[in-house]
Amino acid sequence: MNYWLVAAGLVSAFTFGIHVFAGGPELHLPLMQSALPPVAKSVWSVVWHSISAMILLNAMAFLLAARPHAQARVICTYPLAVSFCITALFLFYGVTQHSSLTVLPQWTLFVASSVLAIIGLMNV
């Protein structure tokens, strides 16, 4: 068992929990209750729930890759790529729109899971 990859999976699962249970009431529900047009609300819901699914699938992939004899490098390629892209997006918008790395701190969780996964892959 690769415990670094288990840790990456648990960080991703934790990220999923924060996204759903903290982000839902803070971001998803207010936008759904706003005066946005119905189509915009539908698109927002699809995007929101797609991100939920992606974070959960990342967690599952890291945990699957942690099993003995798993093809860890192959399994981790996609969730690592996604995590890097999301990190870059949070950093870009944090810096360009808010001149801060702390206004949008979500990037830290994606970096944490990525670093743990990379360490895990170095031990394969």
Side-chain angles (χ1 to χ4, degrees):
M1 184 65 68
N2 186 319
Y3 293 106
W4 291 103
L5 291 174
V6 169
L10 293 176
V11 170
S12 291
F14 177 72
T15 303
F16 172 77
I18 290 174
H19 176 77
V20 171
F21 296 110
E26 181 183 353
L27 297 170
H28 181 63
L29 292 177
L31 281 171
M32 293 306 294
Q33 296 167 347
S34 74
L36 286 172
V39 171
K41 288 181 183 183
S42 295
V43 170
W44 168 247
S45 285
V46 169
V47 170
W48 181 265
H49 294 299
S50 296
I51 296 297
S52 301
M54 181 274 311
I55 297 170
L56 184 59
L57 290 171
N58 278 7
M60 293 168 60
F62 289 140
L63 292 171
L64 179 67
R67 295 176 313 128
H69 311 295
Q71 295 293 320
R73 288 187 191 342
V74 173
I75 295 169
C76 289
T77 300
Y78 184 75
L80 277 171
V82 169
S83 291
F84 285 134
C85 290
I86 291 176
T87 297
L89 288 167
F90 274 118
L91 290 172
F92 175 79
Y93 285 103
V95 169
T96 61
Q97 294 186 352
H98 304 284
S99 300
S100 172
L101 297 177
T102 59
V103 173
L104 302 173
Q106 296 90 330
W107 64 270
T108 58
L109 292 167
F110 291 96
V111 166
S113 64
S114 296
V115 166
L116 291 166
I118 290 168
I119 293 170
L121 290 174
M122 290 176 9
N123 292 303
V124 171

